[in-house]
Amino acid sequence: VQSGLWPNDTAEPVRRLRTAGLEAFSERGFSGATTRQIASLAGMSPAALYSHYASKADLLFDISHAAHEYALRELQREFAIEGTAVDRVRRLTTTFAQYHASFHTATRIAQYELHSLVPDHYKVIVELRRAMHKIMREAIALGCVDGALAVDDLDSTTTFVLSLGIDVARWYRPGGRLSPEDIGTQCGDLVIRMLRRVRSGA
Amino acid sequence: VQSGLWPNDTAEPVRRLRTAGLEAFSERGFSGATTRQIASLAGMSPAALYSHYASKADLLFDISHAAHEYALRELQREFAIEGTAVDRVRRLTTTFAQYHASFHTATRIAQYELHSLVPDHYKVIVELRRAMHKIMREAIALGCVDGALAVDDLDSTTTFVLSLGIDVARWYRPGGRLSPEDIGTQCGDLVIRMLRRVRSGA
């Protein structure tokens, strides 16, 4: 399931190493995992791993980058669909939460190991995260202009809205009562309730 | 600031070791930190550390346990205060989010290193987390009985509501535009908007 994150043109050895990295980092954390274990999980020699990644840090960046790019592309696609401002915010938050459930292993690593990225890698990831924040902020702002939504603090409300989706990576358990689709739908509904303008007197 | 988590009667060496553990685990992760580093940060010998903690895992449990007990006590205290059901949910969510900002180092470790706990320790922490879920669930249920709140799925809504507070530990930056108090207030307001029953026709 998680391998759906990698673009179709990803080379087979890279695909196997990323998947092995997901497994190793999620079980032992970035610090605890070794390149030897990762190579072994991928059914490769450490030397073969090093022909693709200079270091464990490079593999972490590659995984984190793929996960963040995937999420950003999903948000960009949803943003571009025509419809009301409320529908747009609902689609964005539904898709974002569902993504964090469907790819919970990768997204958990992407969130929890941000501090393990080297500074140059971190900068790249932060830019992708800023781009996601900007899309969600713009969608909420359009809803406020439209009059359907109303918020007191656009920036922090955007952070809280993204947070509801991101934190799904922490609490989602595969095989539980709720599917990733259910979680997405519920998150979208809750966000719209949270942001909808309440008519005075209601 | 973070040392406010330890009860007043905590012995001085334990206090120093917990604070050193916070620093080491937050910088290097549980796997990456060593008992030698932790002892050194506490200004103690590794032997002195071992007279208080049998292992690094015991220290992690001690920190996680203190953080979870603190949060549970805060929720219990807020739950017990008299007032309307809406006020109770608002107070619980405000306090919970503020707590996760004020003690972000400890709460981030408590969240991110759950998988590093040994099974017996994990069981104890899961019980404390269940108790918190139960309190929030009950407060929301009382609001629904009261008619002021309305939710479709009480269990998952409770998870989303707690999630908004927990995830503050991830995104809060000390010295930013919003204080822990501001974040708490905003979170409480957003949760009430999210859960409030909408009159039909409004």
Side-chain angles (χ1 to χ4, degrees):
Chain A
V1 175
Q2 312 267 308
S3 59
L5 261 187
W6 322 137
N8 289 332
D9 60 354
T10 309
E12 183 56 28
V14 167
R15 194 178 281 275
R16 270 156 58 201
L17 285 166
R18 283 181 180 176
T19 304
L22 280 184
E23 191 176 336
F25 295 151
S26 73
E27 278 181 14
R28 300 156 194 266
F30 175 74
S31 303
T34 66
T35 47
R36 181 171 295 272
Q37 288 158 352
I38 295 165
S40 162
L41 284 168
M44 290 163 69
S45 67
L49 181 151
Y50 285 116
S51 76
H52 294 284
Y53 295 103
S55 65
K56 193 173 67 161
D58 276 9
L59 176 58
L60 173 65
F61 173 64
D62 194 37
I63 290 172
S64 184
H65 191 254
H68 281 89
E69 281 225 309
Y70 188 102
L72 177 56
R73 275 194 309 267
E74 294 258 296
L75 295 187
Q76 285 167 334
R77 195 194 60 224
E78 297 295 350
F79 188 87
I81 296 172
E82 287 208 46
T84 68
V86 166
D87 285 344
R88 185 183 294 118
V89 172
R90 187 190 299 275
R91 276 198 321 271
L92 286 168
T93 50
T94 300
T95 298
F96 197 61
Q98 183 179 330
Y99 161 76
H100 281 87
S102 298
F103 297 108
H104 58 97
T105 308
T107 52
R108 207 176 292 167
I109 292 168
Q111 301 305 332
Y112 287 18
E113 301 289 3
L114 273 182
H115 68 280
S116 301
L117 294 169
V118 300
D120 281 354
H121 290 165
Y122 183 74
K123 264 187 226 162
V124 175
I125 300 296
V126 164
E127 280 310 307
L128 294 173
R129 297 176 75 91
R130 283 211 185 111
M132 290 190 240
H133 191 277
K134 210 174 147 194
I135 288 172
M136 191 66 83
R137 187 183 191 279
E138 181 67 10
I140 297 171
L142 286 169
C144 294
V145 169
D146 180 84
L149 306 181
V151 302
D152 290 330
D153 185 326
L154 182 58
D155 265 318
S156 60
T157 301
T158 302
T159 300
F160 276 114
V161 166
L162 288 167
S163 168
L164 266 182
I166 290 169
D167 198 44
V168 167
R170 181 186 58 78
W171 63 261
Y172 172 71
R173 292 293 171 271
R177 181 172 62 88
L178 300 175
S179 68
E181 290 72 21
D182 296 333
I183 289 172
T185 303
Q186 289 193 1
C187 190
D189 288 347
L190 290 171
V191 167
I192 296 304
R193 288 180 63 168
M194 186 163 87
L195 304 184
R196 207 186 270 285
R197 189 170 70 91
V198 178
R199 280 156 227 263
S200 57
Chain B
V1 174
Q2 313 267 306
S3 60
L5 263 187
W6 324 135
N8 289 333
D9 60 355
T10 308
E12 184 55 29
V14 168
R15 192 178 283 274
R16 268 157 57 199
L17 285 165
R18 284 181 179 175
T19 304
L22 280 185
E23 191 177 334
F25 296 151
S26 72
E27 279 182 12
R28 300 157 194 267
F30 175 75
S31 303
T34 67
T35 47
R36 183 173 292 273
Q37 288 159 351
I38 296 164
S40 161
L41 284 168
M44 290 163 68
S45 67
L49 181 153
Y50 285 116
S51 76
H52 294 282
Y53 295 102
S55 65
K56 192 174 68 163
D58 277 11
L59 176 59
L60 174 65
F61 173 63
D62 194 37
I63 290 172
S64 184
H65 192 253
H68 281 90
E69 282 225 307
Y70 189 101
L72 178 57
R73 277 195 308 271
E74 295 258 297
L75 294 187
Q76 286 167 333
R77 194 192 64 223
E78 297 294 350
F79 188 87
I81 295 172
E82 289 208 44
T84 68
V86 167
D87 285 344
R88 185 182 296 115
V89 172
R90 187 191 297 275
R91 275 199 318 273
L92 286 168
T93 49
T94 300
T95 298
F96 197 61
Q98 184 178 332
Y99 161 77
H100 282 86
S102 297
F103 297 109
H104 58 97
T105 308
T107 53
R108 207 175 294 168
I109 292 167
Q111 301 304 332
Y112 287 17
E113 300 290 0
L114 274 180
H115 68 280
S116 301
L117 293 169
V118 300
D120 283 354
H121 289 165
Y122 182 73
K123 266 189 224 160
V124 175
I125 299 297
V126 163
E127 279 311 308
L128 295 172
R129 296 175 77 89
R130 283 210 184 112
M132 289 191 242
H133 192 275
K134 210 174 147 196
I135 289 173
M136 191 66 83
R137 187 184 192 280
E138 180 68 10
I140 296 172
L142 286 169
C144 294
V145 170
D146 180 82
L149 306 181
V151 302
D152 291 328
D153 184 326
L154 182 57
D155 265 320
S156 60
T157 301
T158 302
T159 300
F160 276 114
V161 165
L162 287 168
S163 167
L164 265 184
I166 290 169
D167 198 45
V168 167
R170 179 185 58 79
W171 63 261
Y172 172 71
R173 293 293 171 272
R177 183 172 60 91
L178 300 175
S179 68
E181 291 72 21
D182 294 333
I183 289 171
T185 303
Q186 290 192 0
C187 189
D189 288 347
L190 290 171
V191 167
I192 295 305
R193 287 180 65 168
M194 187 163 85
L195 305 182
R196 205 186 273 285
R197 187 170 71 89
V198 177
R199 280 155 228 262
S200 56

